[in-house]
Amino acid sequence: MSNGSIRTILPLATITAASMLTMDLYLPAVPAMQRDLGITVAQGQLTIAIFLLGLAASQLVWGEMLHRIGPRRCVQTGLLVLILTSFGCALAPDLTMLLGLRLVQGIAAGAATVVVPTVVRATLPEQDGVRGIAAIAMIEAIVPAAGPVLGTALLLIADWRTTFAIIGVIALVTAPFALRATPLALPGTEEEAGRVGYRALLRNWHFVGLALAHSLSFGALIAFVASAPQVLPAIAGTGQSGFALAQVCGVAGFIVAASQAGRISSRLGPRHAIQLGALLHGLLCTALCIAWWSASLSFPLVLGFWAAFCAVLGVRGPTAFSEALAVPQAQLGRASAVMVLALLAAGAVATQATAPFLPTGQLGAVALTMTVLSWASYALVARYPVKQASVRQTAG
C-alpha cells in the first residue's frame, strides 16, 4: 500500500473508531448511569436503543448530503456535533436530556459510517481500496472487543460521565487529521439528470445483489454474537468467560484474514473471493448444525467454527463492500449509506428472529439461522451480479 493511501486511511480510521466508541466504551457504564440518575434497567437500555435508532435513520441522509455538500463538510459537521453531544451527555442532568443527546449523537456518528468507505473507494486505487476498507473493518472489529474492556477499567477510577468526556476529547483531537485527509469533493461526481438518486441505485442489480448478500452474511454474524452470551456458558462450562474467549478468537481470526484481504482478492479476483467466501460460510454453518443435532458439539469445536467464520468474513467482507461500491461516482455516498443501513437492518432482524428460540433451541436455533442466511447469501452471488454497462460509462 502506498504512503499516500496510508495517509488517507489512518486518519479516517480514527474517526470511525471515535464514532464506534460512543457505543462500545459507554456500554459498561450503563448500570452506573442508572444508579446515578435513579432510573430503571429498561430506561437505561433505552439510551442504547435510541443511539442505534439515530445511527440507522441518519444513513440515507448522510448519503444524500455527501453529494450535496461534499465529504469534508459532512465529516466536519458530524465531528462537531459528535463532540458537542459527547460533552453534553457528560453534563446531562436527567434521562430526558440524555436521551435527546444520544439520539443526536447517533445521527452524528452516522457521518463516519457513510463518508469513510466512500472516500476510500473513490480516491484510492482498486486494490488499495480493498485494503483500506479491510483496515476500517479491522477497526470495527477491534473497537467492540476492546471498548467494553477499556470502559470497565475506566469505571475503576472515574464515573460514567467521564466516559462521554473522553469520547469528546478523542473526537476533538482526531478532527484536524481527519479533515485534512478528507477531500472537499469526490472525483467525477457531476450528476446527470435521471441517473442518480436512490431509485436509480436500487435498479442496479450488481449493487443490490452484492449488498443483500453481504448483509445476509453480516446478519449471520450478528445472530451468533447477540446469542452467544445466552448459549455459550452452558457449552463452555465456564460462565461468561466462554463468551469472552469466543470473541477473542473471532476478532483474531477476522483481523488476520482482513490484513490479507487485498492480496487474496488480487490473486483470486474479487468475484471468486466473494463466491468462495459465501460457499465456505454455508459449509461452516451446515457443519455446526450437524454437530449440534448429532450431539457431538464441544466448546473447542465452537471456537474453531467461530474463528473460521470470522476469518472468511475478513476476506469476503471488504472485497464485497468494495465491489458493491463499483457504481457511478455520483452514487458512491448513497450506495455506502444503503449498504450500512442494510447491514444494521439484517443484524437487527437476525437477532430478533433467533431470540424466541433461545430458551429451548439454544445453539441449534442460532446454527440453523446462520445456515439459512449463509446459503441465501451464497445463492445471491453464485451467479455473480453482472455490472451494468452504464456504471463505468456514467463514472467516466
Side-chain angles (χ1 to χ4, degrees):
M1 189 182 298
S2 67
N3 290 334
S5 296
I6 293 174
R7 285 194 296 269
T8 296
I9 292 167
L10 286 181
L12 295 179
T14 60
I15 63 170
T16 299
S19 296
M20 295 185 68
L21 285 174
T22 55
M23 171 62 75
D24 298 301
L25 192 67
Y26 165 67
L27 284 175
V30 173
M33 179 271 297
Q34 291 167 187
R35 291 191 297 270
D36 184 45
L37 296 182
I39 61 176
T40 65
V41 172
Q43 289 173 321
Q45 291 298 104
L46 189 57
T47 65
I48 299 173
I50 201 164
F51 173 88
L52 294 174
L53 174 64
L55 180 66
S58 71
Q59 296 304 299
L60 299 184
V61 175
W62 286 117
E64 189 66 32
M65 293 303 293
L66 189 148
H67 294 288
R68 292 182 180 273
I69 66 175
R72 184 177 296 177
R73 288 185 63 187
C74 284
V75 170
Q76 187 177 46
T77 303
L79 282 175
L80 176 61
V81 176
L82 185 66
I83 292 166
L84 293 176
T85 53
S86 295
F87 288 120
C89 287
L91 300 173
D94 53 40
L95 178 64
T96 301
M97 179 66 73
L98 183 60
L99 289 176
L101 288 168
R102 285 289 283 172
L103 176 64
V104 179
Q105 191 177 51
I107 294 172
T113 63
V114 173
V115 174
V116 169
T118 303
V119 169
V120 169
R121 184 64 176 81
T123 61
L124 302 185
E126 183 171 352
Q127 288 308 314
D128 279 1
V130 173
R131 293 187 181 99
I133 291 176
I136 302 301
M138 284 189 279
I139 294 294
E140 292 173 348
I142 293 171
V143 171
V149 176
L150 295 175
T152 301
L154 181 63
L155 289 174
L156 297 176
I157 58 175
D159 62 6
W160 66 273
R161 296 180 184 275
T162 306
T163 299
F164 285 114
I166 288 177
I167 293 170
V169 170
I170 292 173
L172 185 62
V173 170
T174 59
F177 304 99
L179 291 173
R180 191 178 305 150
T182 307
L184 284 170
L186 298 177
T189 55
E190 294 80 7
E191 300 192 356
E192 300 179 28
R195 296 193 180 185
V196 297
Y198 287 111
R199 182 178 298 179
L201 179 66
L202 296 177
R203 291 189 183 128
N204 181 344
W205 170 240
H206 176 78
F207 168 76
V208 172
L210 287 175
L212 286 176
H214 186 44
S215 298
L216 290 172
S217 68
F218 184 78
L221 175 91
I222 296 302
F224 185 93
V225 171
S227 306
Q230 305 294 330
V231 301
L232 286 188
I235 298 175
T238 57
Q240 286 301 328
S241 62
F243 171 64
L245 181 57
Q247 282 293 84
V248 170
C249 291
V251 170
F254 184 91
I255 290 174
V256 170
S259 67
Q260 301 300 313
R263 183 177 301 175
I264 295 172
S265 176
S266 178
R267 180 171 299 180
L268 297 179
R271 170 180 179 174
H272 291 120
I274 294 169
Q275 288 176 327
L276 179 60
L279 176 62
L280 289 175
H281 271 162
L283 293 174
L284 283 168
C285 293
T286 301
L288 184 67
C289 270
I290 293 173
W292 170 260
W293 292 115
S294 63
S296 59
L297 191 63
S298 64
F299 186 58
L301 184 63
V302 173
L303 291 182
F305 158 80
W306 186 233
F309 185 94
C310 292
V312 171
L313 189 63
V315 174
R316 175 193 175 188
T319 305
F321 207 110
S322 180
E323 277 290 288
L325 295 187
V327 297
Q329 293 287 78
Q331 290 283 46
L332 270 176
R334 299 181 183 92
S336 183
V338 171
M339 282 284 287
V340 176
L341 183 59
L343 294 177
L344 293 171
V349 171
T351 299
Q352 290 305 113
T354 307
F357 303 99
L358 291 181
T360 56
Q362 296 297 313
L363 191 58
V366 181
L368 182 59
T369 299
M370 296 180 73
T371 301
V372 171
L373 291 174
S374 294
W375 284 118
S377 177
Y378 176 72
L380 287 168
V381 297
R383 291 185 175 182
Y384 195 73
V386 179
K387 296 178 184 178
Q388 296 178 355
S390 62
V391 167
R392 294 304 181 191
Q393 293 172 0
T394 305

